[in-house]
Amino acid sequence: MAGASGLGTGPGAAGGDGDDSLYPIAVLIDELRNEDVQLRLNSIKKLSTIALALGVERTRSELLPFLTDTIYDEDEVLLALAEQLGNFTGLVGGPDFAHCLLPPLENLATVEETVVRDKAVESLRQISQEHTPVALEAYFVPLVKRLASGDWFTSRTSACSLFSVCYPRASNAVKAEIRQQFRSLCSDDTPMVRRAAASKLGEFAKVLELDSVKSEIVPLFTNLASDEQDSVRLLAVEACVSIAQLLSQDDLETLVMPTLRQAVEDKSWRVRYMVADKFSELQKAMGPKITLNDLIPAFQNLLKDCEAEVRAAAAHKVKELGENLPIEDRETIIMNQILPYIKELVSDTNPHVKSALASVIMGLSTILGKENTIEHLLPLFLAQLKDECPEVRLNIISNLDCVNEVIGIRQLSQSLLPAIVELAEDAKWRVRLAIIEYMPLLAGQLGVEFFDEKLNSLCMAWLVDHVYAIREAATNNLMKLVQKFGTEWAQNTIVPKVLVMANDPNYLHRMTTLFCINALSEACGQEITTKQMLPIVLKMAGDQVANVRFNVAKSLQKIGPILDTNALQGEVKPVLQKLGQDEDMDVKYFAQEAISVLALA
Amino acid sequence: GRVKEMNTYAWPTVFGGAGGESERTRADIISTVEFNYSGDLLATGDKGGRVVIFQREQENKSRPHSRGEYNVYSTFQSHEPEFDYLKSLEIEEKINKIRWLPQQNAAHFLLSTNDKTIKLWKISERDKRAEGYNLKDEDGRLRDPFRITALRVPILKPMDLMVEASPRRIFANAHTYHINSISVNSDHETYLSADDLRINLWHLEITDRSFNIVDIKPANMEELTEVITAAEFHPHQCNVFVYSSSKGTIRLCDMRSSALCDRHSKFFEEPEDPSSRSFFSEIISSISDVKFSHSGRYMMTRDYLSVKVWDLNMESRPVETHQVHEYLRSKLCSLYENDCIFDKFECCWNGSDSAIMTGSYNNFFRMFDRDTRRDVTLEASRESSKPRASLKPRKVCTGGKRKKDEISVDSLDFNKKILHTAWHPADNVIAVAATNNLYIFQDKIN
């Protein structure tokens, strides 16, 4: 009777003098300590059922004390527990008793596993809202203080996330204390705590009075931004965004910009990387004036940074930077101040930088308009289409739609084709796989004529690639093409070629025919499936390779629903019955499965 | 610690089996020794893949002399022998290195590594036990499920202290060659692992990827001239680490300047003395261990015959060179023949950086006082380690007439080597691994 699976089938009322509704709950409670983690997890996830059965009083006096000491358990159990407790207020007697949930969550907020701790903190934040103002000061604030002054840094890191939820509802005296505690965590001995404080600085600033932001948060921010550990300094960049949103332009210039300028030139590439990575957010938070005077020059530096990671992060932001500029200045700023640097990056020494740029550069064409695109961007695209690194070429091809809107794809098609062909035949199968994925998109952009003429043969060649993943992707690709170009096109160009492969001497190619039929039948509809595909599938049931035969069974199962009853009963059923008697185990198995799924038995 | 005091090391504690090199004891050979940050715990790893943790007894009124004694706290199997089917290679379970993490909550954490895989272990205590089931009674007999009249919630009762070691993370598949070092960063969230040709940077919470920060593998392996022998993070500056090479040089890298630290920012090398050049010069100059001082101002390197202290601000030569067993210089030929010349001796600092310690042969280990420039040779042996006895300094006779109490170079036992030693981070307590025995000596109190 072990296992929660026994729940519904517990003993009936017959003969017992106990309360049979208690039985399932009894099992759940016992399984809180089962040796099997899954069963413990299951019980924890049904904690509300247990609590409901126990009633609010016993939940408070017995269940919670027990749970408070369960911190020895596996992470996934603790995670589930932390989550459950966040929604437990009703089960302990409502807001007046919400504080009863604090002890177990306090323990969970000190475990070493970050995900558990974070979940406990999330639940604590949730519960804090359910405390009355009096209870908040009587129970919650003391808990935060305990955590903040805990011996171990896990508890102090958790405290950092709790200040902002109790601050707005606390009395002035308590507010001052909270600010004081946050201050001291910002200069904690351990980098872990300083990092936690730095990452919550912005959030805390938002709930503070503006005066306190200026007088207290800004100095903390300045300190953290010049911390000896670069892992702390880089978090200050993030905080910069939130703080900037709270301050006026003048204050930004005097209070925040000196620090940000310092970050842009930080000795550590990781800090500069962070500036590049958060550039769009910074740009929005700082406003157009500072952007023009400070951020654009900073961005130029990031684009030519000595560390490739930084250049790549900056290159990624080129498009967003343009979009976030005021409409009237966009074109001139990009053309005069950014484009010269982009041109350099196109021939960067590092492939990651080039491919980062290639993934966004096409987006600039909408900002710069047709003429600029043709004159300035097009040469870059063409150069990138010939880049030695396949990822660069792929990124250009995958973003063709942006250019198509502005200048039409014909401008590019001359260079496009060789690039596609080369990628299609790349020695690395992952590269081939990537280009296949873009085929439907390309087909849409280039039109059916161009496709038939230049690309169709490539798509068919992939069907006989020696890597299975490519053949599989090629099959799916055909289906998407049919969806795009219609069944008539399929019937004329694709289906005949696919069906020819049914006679290929290589059994892998014969199987590809079956896989194609699986993929295409739905898109092609009943008529083509019945008339052209079904006969081939049925014929292949006599193949000498068992793998082909059981795939016939699978295919029949797949296309069965599309066929009419006549075909099913008259043609499919006898073949499946024959395969059901096959000497090969697997063929038999799949044939019988098809028979039962298609209800032909 | 002063050498004068060092001579009074006493109260040894010996752990391990009796002598005799049987197959069973091969697995018991200690392969690494490491104190945690407070010094209250001491971990050893052995060739059998086990980790043994010792805990220092707290002050105890009833047994006034027990303070400072280390007793076994937890023992667990960290690594098992494995087989790499792709390369047809056996992977030994031997623990190459153990490093403690700074304490973050009531539990303790350490990293242990064999040649290929690094594991993060949690060592925690449990002193409560839940009691009471609904469906069975105290003796474990099943209750009649039809007669449940009330629900019982388990109650926690105190129990005897239980110490558990549980694996928290496994960092695997990142090293093609044998891992020789692991080192935790002062940022408390990353650590490095070094093998013969590469150094990787890991986040302690992420096991599925690491960043390669140093790669000295030449495109053509025939051009290989040096390997990485040890690597360590600076104790305070999170961006600085050093690695030593088989050519006797040390490179200091600054992770701020670029993501891949192929270009070092400092290069420590002592010019070779042409007069002492011999066939063995290159082998004996290979560095077997590098350790930053606690202050972070100096680093110490151990090569076959000497231990050197370098000022991080002076790359051209070490500020101190201490001879460990200079008398072996004339015996290099036979040490080469029996492979001893490739032994990898480690070295360690005392808590205040005023003294250093490293091992030698014949169960001898050496201590050097940096202020007084005095040094001493001590022996870790069962005979010399009677409770509360002081360790007697030993002397090796180097040519000429052998005095009383001296040992002749020819009678040294090269199978008894002390490769691994550790010094308590604050107190004068040392741990010395002599093959399969662990000796803990501490300064006499009073």
Side-chain angles (χ1 to χ4, degrees):
Chain A
M1 193 87 296
S5 55
L7 265 184
T9 57
D17 53 3
D19 179 353
D20 63 314
S21 69
L22 291 181
Y23 178 76
I25 309 292
V27 173
L28 279 178
I29 294 178
D30 283 3
E31 285 183 353
L32 283 171
R33 291 149 59 205
N34 197 294
E35 281 183 12
D36 183 341
V37 184
Q38 281 311 316
L39 293 179
R40 291 204 301 276
L41 194 59
N42 180 60
S43 272
I44 287 285
K45 286 187 173 157
K46 297 205 174 105
L47 209 54
S48 51
T49 313
I50 298 176
L52 212 54
L54 288 172
V56 293
E57 224 157 275
R58 288 192 70 194
T59 300
R60 292 199 300 263
S61 64
E62 295 179 47
L63 186 61
L64 288 178
F66 169 68
L67 294 174
T68 303
D69 276 304
T70 358
I71 51 164
Y72 304 113
D73 213 324
E74 302 277 334
D75 297 332
E76 48 181 334
V77 177
L78 298 183
L79 182 68
L81 176 59
E83 187 171 7
Q84 292 288 319
L85 291 176
N87 301 311
F88 236 58
T89 307
L91 295 160
V92 293
D96 289 345
F97 296 96
H99 62 268
C100 298
L101 297 169
L102 300 182
L105 285 170
E106 181 174 355
N107 273 354
L108 290 168
T110 64
V111 302
E112 66 280 0
E113 195 57 51
T114 315
V115 277
V116 176
R117 228 162 49 220
D118 287 352
K119 186 57 83 179
V121 166
E122 197 185 311
S123 288
L124 279 170
R125 288 168 64 112
Q126 211 168 317
I127 290 174
S128 73
Q129 303 306 318
E130 284 155 347
H131 279 66
T132 60
V134 179
L136 194 79
E137 288 202 6
Y139 301 105
F140 199 86
V141 173
L143 159 103
V144 177
K145 284 190 203 161
R146 268 198 308 282
L147 286 173
S149 53
D151 281 343
W152 310 119
F153 66 72
T154 45
S155 92
R156 300 200 299 276
T157 48
S158 290
C160 291
S161 315
L162 295 173
F163 293 117
S164 63
V165 288
C166 35
Y167 190 85
R169 296 168 65 208
S171 64
N172 281 340
V174 174
K175 277 183 173 175
E177 271 183 84
I178 292 176
R179 289 198 305 271
Q180 167 56 33
Q181 286 206 302
F182 190 82
R183 259 204 309 278
S184 68
L185 291 183
C186 283
S187 52
D188 195 273
D189 283 342
T190 65
M192 283 295 195
V193 179
R194 296 204 301 278
R195 276 199 294 276
S199 65
K200 297 295 165 194
L201 188 65
E203 184 190 284
F204 190 52
K206 281 184 188 156
V207 298
L208 252 58
E209 300 76 12
L210 186 59
D211 282 345
S212 305
V213 173
K214 286 194 216 172
S215 64
E216 297 189 38
I217 296 289
V218 169
L220 291 176
F221 163 68
T222 314
N223 273 341
L224 289 167
S226 51
D227 195 279
E228 55 170 19
Q229 296 260 345
D230 43 6
S231 60
V232 178
R233 293 204 300 280
L234 60 87
L235 290 170
V237 175
E238 244 180 315
C240 186
V241 175
S242 319
I243 295 172
Q245 289 163 347
L246 305 171
L247 299 175
S248 70
Q249 282 287 315
D250 288 345
D251 287 336
L252 277 182
E253 187 55 57
T254 52
L255 299 175
V256 179
M257 278 318 287
T259 309
L260 184 60
R261 282 189 201 109
Q262 188 186 311
V264 173
E265 287 168 4
D266 196 285
K267 215 176 161 192
S268 168
W269 68 270
R270 290 167 69 195
V271 177
R272 301 196 304 273
Y273 173 92
M274 204 62 174
V275 177
D277 194 48
K278 297 280 162 216
F279 199 84
S280 303
E281 288 90 335
L282 285 169
Q283 194 186 349
K284 283 184 206 155
M286 295 297 175
K289 194 168 148 242
I290 293 181
T291 298
L292 221 55
N293 294 339
D294 272 281
L295 296 187
I296 295 285
F299 193 72
Q300 293 171 338
N301 284 336
L302 295 170
L303 284 176
K304 59 180 169 89
D305 197 279
C306 57
E307 170 58 43
E309 299 278 349
V310 179
R311 293 201 300 280
H316 257 302
K317 300 291 165 186
V318 162
K319 183 181 154 209
E320 278 180 51
L321 169 102
E323 287 169 347
N324 293 334
L325 288 170
I327 295 182
E328 60 278 12
D329 302 332
R330 267 184 198 174
E331 195 185 316
T332 23
I333 295 176
I334 300 264
M335 288 302 295
N336 299 332
Q337 306 198 46
I338 302 294
L339 198 63
Y341 295 89
I342 292 181
K343 285 182 177 163
E344 294 288 311
L345 287 186
V346 168
S347 50
D348 198 279
T349 49
N350 185 296
H352 297 296
V353 177
K354 288 191 289 186
S355 87
L357 181 67
S359 69
V360 295
I361 190 172
M362 311 289 268
L364 288 180
S365 47
T366 33
I367 298 171
L368 295 183
K370 188 169 176 178
E371 268 165 47
N372 282 326
T373 301
I374 294 178
E375 191 182 338
H376 297 283
L377 291 180
L378 197 57
L380 302 182
F381 300 158
L382 296 177
Q384 284 169 311
L385 277 173
K386 295 192 189 85
D387 198 279
E388 56 181 6
C389 166
E391 212 165 287
V392 175
R393 285 173 268 152
L394 269 175
N395 282 345
I396 291 291
I397 290 172
S398 63
N399 287 297
L400 277 178
D401 44 341
C402 318
V403 193
N404 199 13
E405 288 162 21
V406 182
I407 59 169
I409 209 159
R410 293 285 159 184
Q411 297 268 8
L412 272 175
S413 55
Q414 282 308 313
S415 307
L416 205 48
L417 197 63
I420 294 172
V421 172
E422 208 175 308
L423 288 168
E425 290 163 356
D426 196 283
K428 293 196 187 76
W429 68 268
R430 284 179 201 280
V431 174
R432 300 201 296 278
L433 186 65
I435 187 74
I436 294 177
E437 320 245 295
Y438 295 120
M439 269 301 153
L441 175 84
L442 282 170
Q445 305 278 330
L446 295 164
V448 66
E449 233 167 87
F450 187 91
F451 182 88
D452 277 347
E453 195 180 319
K454 317 270 188 189
L455 300 179
N456 196 6
S457 54
L458 284 179
C459 292
M460 300 315 289
W462 283 320
L463 288 175
V464 293
D465 197 282
H466 61 274
V467 175
Y468 176 75
I470 300 296
R471 298 198 299 273
E472 189 188 28
T475 317
N476 290 330
N477 175 42
L478 287 189
M479 181 180 71
K480 288 182 191 149
L481 290 175
V482 172
Q483 283 165 355
K484 206 150 240 156
F485 293 151
T487 50
E488 198 179 322
W489 175 82
Q491 199 174 359
N492 294 330
T493 50
I494 302 275
V495 176
K497 290 184 187 168
V498 166
L499 297 184
V500 165
M501 280 164 49
N503 301 318
D504 197 287
N506 185 335
Y507 84 98
L508 292 173
H509 297 172
R510 298 202 293 279
M511 294 214 306
T512 304
T513 300
L514 292 172
F515 297 147
C516 287
I517 288 172
N518 294 349
L520 291 175
S521 58
E522 202 168 329
C524 288
Q526 194 187 53
E527 198 186 323
I528 300 180
T529 305
T530 316
K531 286 199 176 137
Q532 300 194 6
M533 298 179 178
L534 184 61
I536 301 289
V537 178
L538 295 175
K539 200 179 122 204
M540 290 169 84
D543 200 287
Q544 56 187 3
V545 177
N547 296 47
V548 177
R549 293 200 302 278
F550 76 64
N551 273 297
V552 166
K554 281 174 154 183
S555 287
L556 288 173
Q557 181 182 332
K558 179 93 206 299
I559 66 174
I562 304 167
L563 304 171
D564 62 21
T565 332
N566 283 345
L568 268 179
Q569 292 293 340
E571 304 182 63
V572 174
K573 190 175 171 181
V575 170
L576 280 177
Q577 279 170 338
K578 186 163 170 264
L579 290 174
Q581 305 299 318
D582 200 281
E583 59 192 20
D584 186 278
M585 287 251 299
D586 295 320
V587 179
K588 247 194 254 181
Y589 172 82
F590 287 110
Q592 278 155 9
E593 188 182 70
I595 288 172
S596 80
V597 169
L598 296 173
L600 293 174
Chain B
R2 294 279 180 271
V3 168
K4 192 160 60 69
E5 294 162 5
M6 282 183 207
N7 289 345
T8 66
Y9 267 95
W11 292 13
T13 317
V14 188
F15 297 94
E21 182 79 349
S22 72
E23 197 40 46
R24 193 192 66 79
T25 54
R26 208 204 77 85
D28 294 334
I29 294 175
I30 296 168
S31 51
T32 182
V33 185
E34 184 80 6
F35 278 104
N36 75 343
Y37 283 72
S38 68
D40 289 338
L41 297 178
L42 170 70
T44 65
D46 64 27
K47 287 199 170 174
R50 273 164 311 186
V51 170
V52 182
I53 296 170
F54 301 88
Q55 186 186 39
R56 193 180 202 184
E57 294 299 320
Q58 297 307 310
E59 199 88 51
N60 187 332
K61 291 245 164 60
S62 60
R63 294 176 57 212
H65 289 295
S66 69
R67 154 132 183 98
E69 261 178 50
Y70 281 79
N71 289 312
V72 176
Y73 178 64
S74 172
T75 303
F76 59 94
Q77 189 74 33
S78 168
H79 286 68
E80 302 275 358
E82 281 177 85
F83 192 79
D84 180 342
Y85 294 96
L86 280 179
K87 300 202 180 98
S88 280
L89 278 179
E90 276 184 48
I91 302 168
E92 271 188 89
E93 67 274 33
K94 177 188 156 213
I95 308 294
N96 290 345
K97 282 278 161 14
I98 288 176
R99 288 290 178 266
W100 291 89
L101 264 51
Q103 197 167 359
Q104 52 183 325
N105 59 14
H108 297 272
F109 292 82
L110 61 80
L111 291 168
S112 64
T113 185
N114 67 353
D115 285 341
K116 297 285 177 188
T117 305
I118 304 150
K119 294 185 181 178
L120 174 66
W121 289 89
K122 173 186 181 178
I123 294 99
S124 55
E125 295 183 352
R126 180 187 291 218
D127 58 0
K128 282 188 197 131
R129 191 164 51 99
E131 276 182 11
Y133 283 96
N134 285 293
L135 300 180
K136 52 188 175 190
D137 59 25
E138 279 66 34
D139 320 325
R141 269 182 313 214
L142 290 180
R143 284 209 187 92
D144 181 357
F146 296 100
R147 292 177 194 281
I148 293 172
T149 50
L151 292 171
R152 303 173 181 209
V153 176
I155 300 166
L156 292 158
K157 295 264 174 67
M159 65 166 188
D160 286 345
L161 184 70
M162 197 168 87
V163 182
E164 292 174 314
S166 47
R168 301 293 300 179
R169 302 232 193 306
I170 295 175
F171 306 88
N173 304 324
H175 284 278
T176 315
Y177 305 94
H178 290 180
I179 298 173
N180 55 45
S181 309
I182 43 177
S183 175
V184 181
N185 192 321
S186 61
D187 67 10
H188 293 190
E189 69 175 357
T190 56
Y191 74 91
L192 66 75
S193 59
D195 67 25
D196 296 342
L197 295 177
R198 297 195 180 97
I199 301 177
N200 291 332
L201 181 69
W202 300 84
H203 192 287
L204 280 162
E205 296 192 351
I206 300 169
T207 56
D208 62 354
R209 75 194 102 118
S210 67
F211 294 98
N212 180 240
I213 49 174
V214 173
D215 187 347
I216 63 163
K217 185 171 186 270
N220 178 2
M221 279 298 268
E222 281 166 20
E223 288 161 18
L224 185 69
T225 56
E226 68 177 323
V227 295
I228 298 168
T229 53
E232 192 180 47
F233 266 123
H234 190 280
H236 315 302
Q237 294 167 16
C238 62
N239 48 287
V240 171
F241 69 93
V242 293
Y243 66 93
S244 61
S245 96
S246 54
K247 279 192 164 169
T249 60
I250 309 106
R251 289 173 177 82
L252 182 143
C253 301
D254 185 343
M255 297 200 294
R256 288 177 302 185
S257 55
S258 70
L260 190 65
C261 299
D262 278 350
R263 271 168 310 176
H264 51 262
S265 52
K266 287 186 179 181
F267 183 68
F268 299 85
E269 182 178 34
E270 184 169 35
E272 194 187 24
D273 176 7
S275 64
S276 67
R277 175 147 189 92
S278 78
F279 171 74
F280 302 108
S281 296
E282 195 163 322
I283 301 175
I284 62 170
S285 66
S286 175
I287 292 174
S288 51
D289 195 17
V290 57
K291 292 269 168 62
F292 277 109
S293 64
H294 295 85
S295 69
R297 167 78 189 270
Y298 301 99
M299 65 180 169
M300 158 169 62
T301 58
R302 172 70 207 263
D303 54 48
Y304 192 60
L305 293 180
S306 66
V307 55
K308 291 171 183 164
V309 176
W310 304 76
D311 187 326
L312 292 193
N313 299 320
M314 185 163 76
E315 299 164 60
S316 57
R317 60 189 161 81
V319 287
E320 293 164 29
T321 300
H322 305 279
Q323 301 305 334
V324 178
H325 37 215
E326 185 63 19
Y327 45 80
L328 295 182
R329 194 176 283 279
S330 58
K331 315 219 72 174
L332 291 175
C333 215
S334 53
L335 290 164
Y336 179 75
E337 274 160 19
N338 63 12
D339 272 354
C340 281
I341 202 167
F342 300 106
D343 283 335
K344 298 192 94 183
F345 290 99
E346 292 172 7
C347 50
C348 61
W349 298 86
N350 73 341
S352 60
D353 297 335
S354 64
I356 54 187
M357 169 169 62
T358 189
S360 177
Y361 292 103
N362 205 49
N363 275 354
F364 288 172
F365 58 98
R366 302 267 288 148
M367 286 179 170
F368 304 93
D369 187 304
R370 299 180 56 216
D371 300 335
T372 62
R373 298 275 161 164
R374 290 172 63 181
D375 63 88
V376 61
T377 303
L378 300 170
E379 181 181 4
S381 74
R382 284 182 177 266
E383 297 77 56
S384 70
S385 57
K386 302 207 178 60
R388 283 180 202 90
S390 293
L391 286 182
K392 255 191 283 169
R394 299 284 174 167
K395 216 162 161 60
V396 176
C397 159
T398 53
K401 205 147 181 326
R402 188 165 70 92
K403 292 186 210 115
K404 189 171 168 278
D405 286 346
E406 282 191 350
I407 301 114
S408 130
V409 177
D410 294 316
S411 59
L412 291 175
D413 184 344
F414 290 104
N415 288 320
K416 292 183 176 168
K417 41 191 114 178
I418 292 182
L419 302 177
H420 315 283
T421 59
W423 208 314
H424 189 287
D427 299 346
N428 260 335
V429 177
I430 57 168
V432 177
T435 51
N436 53 359
N437 288 318
L438 176 71
Y439 295 86
I440 298 171
F441 302 107
Q442 45 189 312
D443 229 348
K444 221 176 242 165
I445 300 167
N446 307 327

